[in-house]
Amino acid sequence: MDHPNINKNIHPPVVALMFIVIAYFLGRFVPTPLVAPPILRSIGFALTFIGFLFGIGAFIEFRKARTTLDPHGSVKQLVMAGVYRFTRNPIYLGFMLMVIGLPLNSGLYWGLIISPFFAMTMRRLVIEREEAYLEKKIQRAVHRL
């Protein structure tokens, strides 16, 4: 099989959205005693925007490389240009920034509080499996040389 061993029911954007919804839910029913000052709301907006830009940058590089964005799909080549020069997982980093930034922009600290759980969930359900797949794919390509 030439694709990562990721459960077909796991979709990273949906996981990120679930954590954002959880942050808003917690903000509604378990309010924190701290009020977010306007500067933190602005920082939340900036984090969300930067997260979105990471996703756009990754999309552009995947298109240039003519490979798939689908974490369940077969990769045609390893992308190492553009935003990938700075981080191995710009899309997931972008999602993390959105998990923190969207609630923070609304005055909620819950995105920041639950972001480590988002990172652990993504690592366990997606990133570890993608990394194993890419490692095997690279090893096969090196052995063919």
Side-chain angles (χ1 to χ4, degrees), residues 12-13 16 50-60 62 68-71 83-84 87-98 118 122 127 130:
I50 292 167
F52 180 75
L53 291 179
F54 271 118
I56 295 297
F59 175 79
I60 290 169
F62 272 71
T68 183
L69 271 168
D70 180 6
V83 70
Y84 283 89
T87 176
R88 288 169 54 157
N89 294 300
I91 296 171
Y92 304 146
L93 176 58
F95 288 157
M96 171 72 89
L97 293 175
M98 289 180 198
F118 171 73
M122 289 298 293
I127 295 170
E130 283 182 350

Coordinates of all heavy atoms in Angstrom, one line a residue, residues 12-13 16 50-60 62 68-71 83-84 87-98 118 122 127 130:
P12 N -7.7 15.9 9.4 CA -7.0 16.9 10.2 C -7.8 18.3 10.3 O -7.9 18.8 11.4 CB -5.7 17.1 9.6 CG -5.4 15.8 9.0 CD -6.7 15.2 8.5
P13 N -8.4 18.8 9.2 CA -9.2 20.0 9.4 C -10.4 19.8 10.4 O -10.7 20.7 11.1 CB -9.7 20.4 8.0 CG -8.9 19.6 7.1 CD -8.4 18.4 7.8
A16 N -9.1 19.9 13.9 CA -8.8 21.2 14.4 C -10.1 22.0 14.7 O -10.3 22.6 15.7 CB -8.1 22.0 13.3
I50 N -2.0 34.1 10.4 CA -0.7 33.5 10.1 C -0.9 32.0 9.9 O -0.4 31.4 9.0 CB 0.3 33.7 11.3 CG1 0.7 35.2 11.3 CG2 1.6 32.8 11.1 CD1 1.5 35.6 12.5
G51 N -1.8 31.4 10.7 CA -2.1 30.0 10.5 C -2.7 29.7 9.2 O -2.4 28.7 8.5
F52 N -3.6 30.6 8.7 CA -4.2 30.5 7.4 C -3.1 30.6 6.3 O -3.2 29.9 5.4 CB -5.3 31.6 7.3 CG -6.0 31.6 5.9 CD1 -6.9 30.6 5.6 CD2 -5.7 32.5 5.0 CE1 -7.6 30.6 4.4 CE2 -6.3 32.5 3.8 CZ -7.3 31.5 3.5
L53 N -2.2 31.5 6.5 CA -1.1 31.7 5.5 C -0.2 30.5 5.4 O 0.2 30.1 4.3 CB -0.3 33.0 5.9 CG -1.0 34.3 5.7 CD1 0.0 35.4 6.1 CD2 -1.5 34.5 4.3
F54 N 0.0 29.8 6.6 CA 0.8 28.6 6.5 C 0.1 27.6 5.6 O 0.7 26.9 4.8 CB 0.9 28.0 7.9 CG 2.2 28.5 8.6 CD1 2.1 29.1 9.8 CD2 3.4 28.2 8.2 CE1 3.2 29.6 10.5 CE2 4.6 28.6 8.8 CZ 4.4 29.3 10.0
G55 N -1.3 27.5 5.8 CA -2.0 26.5 4.9 C -2.0 26.9 3.5 O -1.8 26.0 2.6
I56 N -2.1 28.2 3.2 CA -2.0 28.6 1.8 C -0.6 28.3 1.2 O -0.5 27.8 0.1 CB -2.4 30.1 1.7 CG1 -3.8 30.4 2.1 CG2 -2.1 30.7 0.3 CD1 -4.8 29.7 1.2
G57 N 0.4 28.6 2.0 CA 1.8 28.4 1.5 C 2.0 26.9 1.2 O 2.6 26.5 0.2
A58 N 1.5 26.0 2.1 CA 1.6 24.6 1.9 C 0.8 24.1 0.6 O 1.3 23.4 -0.2 CB 1.1 23.8 3.1
F59 N -0.4 24.7 0.5 CA -1.2 24.4 -0.7 C -0.4 24.7 -2.0 O -0.4 23.9 -2.9 CB -2.5 25.1 -0.6 CG -3.4 24.9 -1.8 CD1 -4.1 23.8 -2.0 CD2 -3.4 25.9 -2.8 CE1 -4.9 23.6 -3.2 CE2 -4.2 25.8 -3.9 CZ -5.0 24.6 -4.1
I60 N 0.2 25.9 -2.0 CA 0.9 26.3 -3.2 C 2.1 25.4 -3.5 O 2.3 25.0 -4.7 CB 1.4 27.8 -3.0 CG1 0.2 28.8 -3.0 CG2 2.5 28.2 -4.0 CD1 0.5 30.2 -2.6
F62 N 2.4 22.2 -2.6 CA 1.9 20.9 -3.0 C 1.5 21.0 -4.5 O 1.7 20.0 -5.3 CB 0.7 20.5 -2.1 CG 1.2 19.7 -0.9 CD1 1.8 20.3 0.1 CD2 0.9 18.3 -0.8 CE1 2.2 19.6 1.2 CE2 1.3 17.6 0.3 CZ 2.0 18.3 1.3
T68 N -0.4 15.3 -3.6 CA -1.7 15.4 -2.9 C -1.5 16.1 -1.6 O -0.6 15.9 -0.8 CB -2.3 14.0 -2.8 OG1 -3.6 14.2 -2.2 CG2 -1.5 13.1 -1.9
L69 N -2.6 16.8 -1.2 CA -2.7 17.4 0.1 C -3.4 16.4 1.0 O -3.4 16.6 2.2 CB -3.6 18.7 0.1 CG -2.9 20.0 -0.2 CD1 -3.9 21.1 -0.5 CD2 -2.0 20.3 1.0
D70 N -4.0 15.4 0.5 CA -4.8 14.4 1.2 C -3.9 13.6 2.1 O -3.0 12.9 1.6 CB -5.6 13.5 0.3 CG -6.4 12.5 0.9 OD1 -6.5 12.5 2.2 OD2 -7.0 11.6 0.2
P71 N -4.0 13.6 3.4 CA -3.2 12.9 4.3 C -3.4 11.4 4.2 O -2.5 10.6 4.6 CB -3.5 13.3 5.7 CG -4.9 13.9 5.6 CD -5.0 14.4 4.2
V83 N 7.3 27.2 2.4 CA 7.1 27.1 3.8 C 7.7 25.9 4.5 O 8.0 25.9 5.6 CB 5.6 27.3 4.1 CG1 4.8 26.1 3.7 CG2 5.3 27.6 5.6
Y84 N 7.9 24.8 3.7 CA 8.4 23.6 4.2 C 9.9 23.7 4.5 O 10.5 22.8 5.2 CB 8.2 22.4 3.2 CG 6.8 21.9 3.3 CD1 5.8 22.5 2.5 CD2 6.4 20.9 4.2 CE1 4.5 22.1 2.6 CE2 5.1 20.5 4.3 CZ 4.2 21.0 3.5 OH 2.9 20.6 3.6
T87 N 9.3 24.5 8.5 CA 8.6 23.6 9.3 C 8.2 22.3 8.5 O 7.9 22.4 7.3 CB 7.4 24.2 10.0 OG1 6.7 23.2 10.8 CG2 6.4 24.8 9.0
R88 N 8.3 21.2 9.2 CA 7.9 19.9 8.5 C 6.4 19.8 8.3 O 5.9 19.0 7.5 CB 8.4 18.7 9.2 CG 9.9 18.6 9.1 CD 10.5 17.6 10.1 NE 9.9 16.3 10.0 CZ 10.5 15.2 10.4 NH1 11.7 15.3 10.9 NH2 9.9 14.1 10.3
N89 N 5.6 20.5 9.1 CA 4.2 20.3 9.1 C 3.5 21.7 9.1 O 2.8 22.0 10.1 CB 3.7 19.5 10.3 CG 4.2 18.1 10.3 OD1 3.9 17.3 9.3 ND2 4.9 17.6 11.2
P90 N 3.6 22.5 8.1 CA 3.1 23.8 8.1 C 1.5 23.8 8.2 O 1.0 24.7 8.8 CB 3.5 24.5 6.8 CG 3.9 23.3 5.9 CD 4.3 22.2 6.8
I91 N 0.9 22.8 7.6 CA -0.6 22.8 7.7 C -1.0 22.6 9.1 O -1.9 23.3 9.6 CB -1.1 21.7 6.7 CG1 -0.8 22.1 5.3 CG2 -2.6 21.6 6.9 CD1 -1.1 21.0 4.3
Y92 N -0.4 21.6 9.8 CA -0.8 21.3 11.2 C -0.4 22.4 12.1 O -1.1 22.7 13.1 CB -0.2 20.0 11.6 CG -0.6 18.9 10.7 CD1 0.2 17.8 10.4 CD2 -1.9 18.9 10.0 CE1 -0.2 16.8 9.6 CE2 -2.2 17.9 9.2 CZ -1.4 16.8 8.9 OH -1.8 15.8 8.1
L93 N 0.8 23.1 11.8 CA 1.2 24.3 12.6 C 0.1 25.4 12.4 O -0.3 26.0 13.4 CB 2.5 24.7 12.2 CG 3.0 26.0 12.9 CD1 3.1 25.9 14.4 CD2 4.4 26.4 12.3
G94 N -0.3 25.5 11.2 CA -1.4 26.5 10.9 C -2.7 26.2 11.7 O -3.3 27.1 12.2
F95 N -3.0 24.9 11.7 CA -4.2 24.5 12.5 C -4.0 24.8 13.9 O -4.9 25.3 14.6 CB -4.5 23.0 12.3 CG -5.1 22.6 11.0 CD1 -4.9 21.3 10.5 CD2 -5.7 23.5 10.2 CE1 -5.4 20.9 9.3 CE2 -6.2 23.1 8.9 CZ -6.1 21.8 8.5
M96 N -2.8 24.6 14.5 CA -2.5 24.9 15.9 C -2.7 26.4 16.2 O -3.3 26.8 17.2 CB -1.1 24.4 16.2 CG -0.7 24.9 17.6 SD -1.5 24.0 18.9 CE -0.4 22.7 19.1
L97 N -2.2 27.2 15.3 CA -2.3 28.6 15.5 C -3.8 29.1 15.4 O -4.2 30.0 16.2 CB -1.5 29.4 14.4 CG 0.0 29.2 14.5 CD1 0.7 29.9 13.3 CD2 0.5 29.7 15.8
M98 N -4.6 28.4 14.6 CA -6.0 28.7 14.6 C -6.7 28.2 15.8 O -7.6 28.9 16.3 CB -6.6 28.1 13.3 CG -6.2 28.8 12.0 SD -7.0 28.0 10.6 CE -6.0 28.5 9.3
F118 N -4.5 19.3 21.5 CA -4.6 19.2 20.0 C -3.3 18.7 19.4 O -3.3 17.8 18.5 CB -4.9 20.6 19.5 CG -4.9 20.7 18.0 CD1 -5.9 20.1 17.2 CD2 -3.8 21.3 17.3 CE1 -5.8 20.1 15.8 CE2 -3.7 21.3 15.9 CZ -4.7 20.7 15.2
M122 N -3.1 15.3 17.2 CA -2.6 15.3 15.8 C -1.3 14.4 15.7 O -1.2 13.6 14.7 CB -2.3 16.7 15.4 CG -3.5 17.5 15.2 SD -4.6 16.9 13.9 CE -3.6 17.1 12.4
I127 N 0.4 12.6 12.5 CA 1.8 12.9 12.2 C 2.7 11.7 12.3 O 3.5 11.4 11.4 CB 2.3 14.1 13.0 CG1 1.5 15.3 12.7 CG2 3.8 14.3 12.9 CD1 1.7 16.5 13.6
E130 N 2.1 9.6 9.2 CA 2.6 10.2 8.0 C 4.1 10.1 8.0 O 4.7 9.8 6.9 CB 2.2 11.7 7.9 CG 0.8 12.0 7.5 CD 0.5 13.4 7.4 OE1 1.3 14.3 7.9 OE2 -0.6 13.8 6.9

